[in-house]
Amino acid sequence: MFLKRLECSACGLEHEWSQLQNLCVSCNKPLFAIVDLAAASRTLTRETLQAREKSLWRYREVLPLPAGVEPVSLGEGGTPLLRAPKFADDVDLWVKDESSNPTQSFKARGMSVAVSMAKYLGASKLAVPSAGNAGGALAAYAARAGMEAHVFMPRDTPRANVVECRELGAHVPLIDGLIADCGAEIGRRKAHEGWFDMSTLKEPYRVEGKKTLGYELAEQLNWRLPDLILYPAGGGTGLIGMWKAFDEMEALGWIGKKRPRMFAVQAAGCAPIVRAFEDGEKTAAEFPDAQTIASGLRVPKAIGDFLMLKILRESNGGAIAVADGEMIHVAREVGAKEGLFICPEGGACFAALKQLRVAGKIASGERVVIFNTGSGIKYLEAYDPGLRG
Ligand SMILES: Cc1ncc(COP(=O)(O)O)c(C=O)c1O
Ligand SMILES: [Zn+2]
């Protein structure tokens, strides 16, 4: 293993990786894993990758977890990158389809790595606030690891997510409130209950799992990053993780300096990052009365807001809000034209692509990658209002 230390993403303070850590003990901001890339590159090369397993553990040297320790895995990662020519024929459009992950969303990536590390470092009870898919992923990986999972969800979380967690053996308290209220409840109880807090970016390894989105994308595009990435951002972990992966791959000599223009796509009813980006702010104020059917985007206040905003600006990208009706409408178009039953969060990105084309912000022929972060099958109430209770 080539993990050297944990470092605060805001103040740089070093933390020891060999014990369970949450936020920076000095400034309460997220910790990042720092990997010895020079040492990792002795065995991990673009060539050696070709013969490896398909799962995200193919990038083992740049992931935490000591060599010889078996990861908690259900076969996550290695998802298809598909062309979507019928949806947009004037740009070179690709979809990274994350719905084929275990538990049908990209949350599996973060949880496989974070649960592996939590188990290795001695945790036995894991807790997470979840707007939907993260809960299912934690429940699955905790079950696989023989650990307890406590998934706190807003009461109006899509039914499939709640049922999934229960069937995977998790404890699933439903909270009258939003994801922040779920997080606060865990914060109040965790010391007493002996829970380890697995909230995204409040522990250092979910982002490590998510960074494999960036490694896979580069590998699948033959080490040439696209011109533009559209990512549905709630907590922003995937966006932040991919950016970290790009820097690591540059240090490994696998890619050059060029970066995609990164766009965070949010729901009009919960768009704190869009608002902060437009106002030129470095952090994002809590978005009041957050509401959207895209449950993964219902994150009114994200702890990684400052990291996301920096990436969007440095990459010359932006932030776009999409109305719920538009997400659903466009998702149907994608389904009928491309054969993908996407989640509303993915639909938001396809709608954002249309907005950017109309605004003249994408030149014809540019290569665009959209992240469809999960399957539509978990959102039946959103696609068929008759099913809403
Ligand atoms: C389907 C889906 N897309 C996107 C997101 C947002 O992910 P992130 O926290 O990486 O911004 C979530 C989070 O719950 C999700 O479930
Ligand atoms: Zn700090």
Side-chain angles (χ1 to χ4, degrees):
M1 186 195 54
F2 303 100
L3 173 59
K4 285 196 294 194
R5 61 177 186 278
L6 298 171
E7 201 174 277
C8 176
S9 57
C11 77
L13 185 69
E14 282 190 24
H15 291 64
E16 183 51 53
W17 72 262
S18 61
Q19 63 195 60
L20 290 166
Q21 300 277 7
N22 285 114
L23 294 171
C24 171
V25 293
S26 167
C27 75
N28 264 334
K29 294 286 189 263
L31 299 178
F32 277 171
I34 307 299
V35 181
D36 184 347
L37 295 166
S41 69
R42 277 184 224 124
T43 48
L44 184 68
T45 65
R46 293 188 297 187
E47 292 70 36
T48 52
L49 268 177
Q50 288 170 16
R52 294 198 180 181
E53 62 177 306
K54 190 168 146 229
S55 98
L56 60 78
W57 292 98
R58 69 199 269 103
Y59 308 108
R60 179 88 190 221
E61 287 91 334
V62 292
L63 293 173
L65 200 67
V69 179
E70 187 70 20
V72 182
S73 175
L74 291 160
E76 52 292 325
T79 57
L81 179 68
L82 304 165
R83 295 204 61 190
K86 294 205 205 81
F87 184 84
D89 55 10
D90 50 350
V91 294
D92 180 21
L93 179 60
W94 297 73
V95 186
K96 182 76 172 146
D97 187 21
E98 289 290 301
S99 66
S100 62
N101 275 300
T103 68
Q104 293 78 52
S105 92
F106 74 145
K107 298 279 170 179
R109 293 180 187 265
M111 288 302 183
S112 175
V113 175
V115 171
S116 294
M117 280 301 277
K119 182 179 182 188
Y120 172 71
L121 296 173
S124 59
K125 299 177 184 178
L126 307 176
V128 78
S130 173
N133 289 307
L138 178 73
Y141 286 93
R144 191 87 177 160
M147 299 164 88
E148 253 180 46
H150 299 263
V151 180
F152 286 71
M153 289 176 150
R155 193 170 295 283
D156 56 355
T157 297
R159 204 67 207 150
N161 298 117
V162 178
V163 175
E164 175 185 40
C165 289
R166 284 191 188 141
E167 295 304 312
L168 287 164
H171 303 267
V172 194
L174 299 179
I175 301 291
D176 293 311
L178 296 180
I179 189 161
D181 304 297
C182 296
E185 180 72 4
I186 292 173
R188 275 190 291 276
R189 293 175 56 190
K190 64 183 178 188
H192 179 70
E193 304 275 2
W195 297 336
F196 181 60
D197 189 344
M198 297 284 279
S199 304
T200 198
L201 294 171
K202 288 190 187 168
E203 67 74 58
Y205 301 118
R206 282 176 65 182
V207 68
E208 289 299 292
K210 289 262 189 95
K211 85 180 177 188
T212 61
L213 287 168
Y215 277 91
E216 261 178 42
L217 186 63
E219 193 180 353
Q220 286 171 314
L221 290 175
N222 209 14
W223 311 107
R224 273 190 41 231
L225 297 179
D227 297 305
L228 204 122
I229 282 178
L230 295 172
Y231 177 86
T237 316
L239 196 82
I240 295 163
M242 275 193 273
W243 198 250
K244 184 171 188 282
F246 297 157
D247 285 347
E248 289 178 2
M249 285 189 286
E250 187 184 342
L252 286 165
W254 292 2
I255 61 168
K257 286 207 170 325
K258 183 176 176 272
R259 297 288 183 270
R261 304 191 313 269
M262 307 289 279
F263 283 85
V265 181
Q266 299 202 299
C270 182
I273 299 300
V274 179
R275 213 174 250 186
F277 183 84
E278 286 171 356
D279 293 347
E281 302 286 351
K282 288 196 172 121
T283 59
E286 180 167 341
F287 198 89
D289 304 321
Q291 253 178 355
T292 170
I293 50 158
S295 47
L297 304 185
R298 204 166 51 153
V299 182
K301 174 82 190 148
I303 188 157
D305 55 355
F306 69 106
L307 297 167
M308 266 191 274
L309 287 161
K310 197 162 159 267
I311 293 166
L312 303 180
R313 293 195 176 108
E314 262 179 36
S315 74
N316 204 18
I320 297 169
V322 175
D324 278 12
E326 189 59 14
M327 295 175 202
I328 296 299
H329 180 73
V330 172
R332 180 164 299 174
E333 186 183 338
V334 175
K337 284 187 176 162
E338 303 287 358
L340 296 168
F341 185 21
I342 64 176
C343 59
E345 292 85 348
C349 294
F350 282 90
L353 172 64
K354 289 190 185 215
Q355 283 189 31
L356 285 169
R357 283 297 280 143
V358 170
K361 292 197 175 151
I362 306 181
S364 97
E366 280 199 299
R367 179 167 283 177
V368 179
V369 172
I370 282 178
F371 283 83
N372 176 46
T373 42
S375 168
I377 205 79
K378 299 249 185 107
Y379 298 81
L380 294 182
E381 305 100 319
Y383 288 116
D384 183 352
L387 294 172
R388 284 179 209 162

